[in-house]
Amino acid sequence: MKKIFCVLAVFLCVGAVLAAQIPENLNVVKIEEDGKTENGLPYTITIEYLPATGEAFFTVTINQSMFNQADAMIAIRDRAMKFIEETQENGVRKYYHYVYRGADSTKYDGAKKKVYYTSRIRFLEKQATAY
């Protein structure tokens, strides 16, 4: 009897997994662009945006010899502001401001001589109110 319930439970789980559909707005939208810092140094910025939650990972990739954390932070800040402007729908703003979701991370890849500086950002839909 226990075996029948176990087999039935397994079939129900498999059926649920096969029948589940992932909504389109849960898919990650990936944007990759090249840019230059205020000092004219080239970098690549990658945005991995999740529309369902309004969260995005902004990653600046730059050569190790050219890395300056302040420049990377400014590049991410400027791109986040531009992202808010780009997400307007029918002339109406979708997002009004953003917040950082934790500490930024810096990863060094010695083999490729690259630095990856990442910020996790959440975009907020409501306009800030003054108290």
Side-chain angles (χ1 to χ4, degrees):
M1 190 70 158
K2 290 181 183 179
K3 291 180 183 179
I4 293 173
F5 287 122
C6 289
V7 170
L8 183 61
V10 168
F11 281 127
L12 285 173
C13 291
V14 169
V17 168
L18 293 176
Q21 294 181 356
I22 299 173
E24 286 185 25
N25 64 353
L26 288 180
N27 294 333
V28 175
V29 177
K30 190 171 182 178
I31 303 167
E32 193 167 317
E33 302 175 346
D34 293 327
K36 292 196 182 234
T37 64
E38 292 178 348
N39 299 329
L41 302 173
Y43 66 87
T44 301
I45 190 162
T46 305
I47 304 168
E48 294 175 344
Y49 169 61
L50 188 62
T53 62
E55 290 192 55
F57 288 90
F58 285 71
T59 303
V60 172
T61 305
I62 193 166
N63 289 333
Q64 277 182 341
S65 61
M66 298 182 220
F67 178 67
N68 180 348
Q69 184 174 348
D71 287 342
M73 292 171 72
I74 290 168
I76 289 173
R77 181 199 65 200
D78 292 344
R79 189 58 183 95
M81 294 304 294
K82 185 178 171 188
F83 186 82
I84 288 173
E85 294 171 7
E86 290 175 351
T87 54
Q88 291 186 13
E89 295 176 359
N90 300 326
V92 177
R93 254 188 185 182
K94 183 172 182 180
Y95 300 117
Y96 286 91
H97 59 283
Y98 62 91
V99 293
Y100 289 94
R101 303 282 294 173
D104 295 347
S105 68
T106 307
K107 294 183 181 177
Y108 294 87
D109 186 348
K112 295 181 181 178
K113 296 185 179 177
K114 297 277 186 188
V115 177
Y116 304 96
Y117 184 82
T118 304
S119 290
R120 182 178 171 194
I121 294 176
R122 175 138 190 236
F123 293 95
L124 303 172
E125 295 179 2
K126 294 189 177 185
Q127 194 168 12
T129 57
Y131 292 100

